[in-house]
Amino acid sequence: MLSGALFVAFGFNMLLIPHGLLSGGVSGISMMIGYLTGGNIGWLYFAVNLPILIWGLFSLGRRFVIWSIVSVVAATFWMQVIPVKPIVDDPLLGAVFGGVIVGFGSGIALRQGGSSGGFDIIASIVTRKRDIPVGIVIFILNAVVIFVLGLLIQDWDAALYSMLSIFAAGKVVDIIHIRHVKVTAFIITGETDRMIKKLLERPRGVTIIRTRGAFSAAEKDMLMTVTTRYELAELRKTIKRLDPGAFVNIVETVGVIGDFRHPG
């Protein structure tokens, strides 16, 4: 989480901020406020994230949000340490490589079961409450931030470079973490009762399928559950802790018909 935050801060201070560009999500909002007011963008990044993180504590699992808090605090610290100094003169290079480095840092955070805060927290809350295309929602929110930047500074080159940066960051996050918002996990385990009890603490349904090994002829239960990419790292750690020998197959879920949340 600390190294991921370091990459995020480096991308901000050395590639995006010197050229007046934005990152996606809440960090883009804090950058825009900083450009307009002259305030410290690192502290603005923390201040804008704070109410969202508090909201997440009441709406999401504590582990996910606590690691996200660690990531945000670490990124704020690194932004005070790393100087705001351009390492490239071309804003196009700053946009592309800034997006790649920020996306790499954000992807590390997601893969370890946290996030870089901001829209990731909001997206996680939304996916737990509503089965809607979160990626589109995030894209729209980012587009609004970029559009407002263009209106305020009347520099559409910077606005479009920023959109390119956001696109690059999103692609890198997809590569490091997982592309689809929803995935289906098939878990073959001998610890059915313990596994179900833990899995049902999440707002997701679980289906039990009786299976028999072709080679060993041993009968076990296979648990099938649909989850989101924001919850996948936590699910992996839960399975490894409860049954290190479980066989798990995680597949992409293109779409879900019906409610994949349990009524509890």
Side-chain angles (χ1 to χ4, degrees):
M1 298 302 294
L2 297 177
S3 63
L6 176 60
F7 280 106
V8 170
F10 180 88
F12 286 171
N13 281 11
M14 304 294 279
L15 290 160
L16 297 180
I17 294 175
H19 294 288
L21 305 179
L22 299 184
S23 180
V26 167
S27 57
I29 296 174
S30 63
M31 287 176 181
M32 185 163 55
I33 295 173
Y35 296 152
L36 296 174
T37 64
N40 184 294
I41 294 177
W43 290 114
L44 287 169
Y45 174 74
F46 176 79
V48 177
N49 265 297
L50 186 59
I52 298 174
L53 291 168
I54 293 173
W55 180 26
L57 276 176
F58 291 98
S59 303
L60 302 174
R62 299 181 69 87
R63 184 183 184 282
F64 175 76
V65 178
I66 288 173
W67 278 120
S68 299
I69 292 172
V70 170
S71 178
V72 170
V73 171
T76 302
F77 168 77
W78 289 126
M79 289 179 72
Q80 309 310 310
V81 174
I82 299 172
V84 179
K85 181 180 179 180
I87 59 174
V88 295
D89 295 325
D90 188 347
L92 178 60
L93 292 175
V96 173
F97 286 96
V100 167
I101 292 174
V102 170
F104 184 75
S106 299
I108 290 175
L110 284 169
R111 194 172 182 85
Q112 296 305 315
S115 75
S116 55
F119 286 178
D120 287 337
I121 298 289
I122 296 174
S124 188
I125 294 173
V126 170
T127 55
R128 291 195 175 201
K129 302 296 184 181
R130 297 286 186 271
D131 183 19
I132 63 175
V134 178
I136 294 177
V137 175
I138 292 178
F139 178 81
I140 292 173
L141 291 173
N142 283 330
V144 169
V145 173
I146 297 300
F147 182 71
V148 171
L149 173 69
L151 287 179
L152 291 175
I153 68 175
Q154 290 297 306
D155 184 354
W156 293 104
D157 285 351
L160 293 177
Y161 281 141
S162 297
M163 185 61 79
L164 181 61
S165 170
I166 293 170
F167 178 79
K171 285 298 181 182
V172 174
V173 169
D174 287 346
I175 292 170
I176 293 177
H177 193 221
I178 190 166
R179 181 180 298 109
H180 289 260
V181 172
K182 293 186 182 66
V183 297
T184 299
F186 296 93
I187 310 161
I188 299 178
T189 178
E191 300 286 344
T192 302
D193 293 338
R194 294 176 63 210
M195 194 77 72
I196 289 177
K197 182 179 179 181
K198 189 64 179 178
L199 292 180
L200 288 179
E201 293 178 3
R202 304 155 53 251
R204 300 286 175 253
V206 181
T207 300
I208 305 173
I209 305 169
R210 194 64 179 169
T211 62
R212 183 165 64 92
F215 178 75
S216 65
E219 292 191 349
K220 289 187 177 182
D221 289 324
M222 180 170 69
L223 310 181
M224 182 188 75
T225 183
V226 179
T227 188
T228 70
R229 73 175 188 176
Y230 301 100
E231 300 166 296
L232 183 56
E234 184 177 352
L235 176 63
R236 282 173 170 156
K237 288 180 172 60
T238 297
I239 295 170
K240 287 181 179 180
R241 185 176 70 252
L242 296 179
D243 186 2
F247 176 81
V248 185
N249 182 25
I250 299 171
V251 299
E252 299 171 347
T253 300
V254 177
V256 174
I257 299 174
D259 197 346
F260 72 110
R261 297 170 294 141
H262 67 67

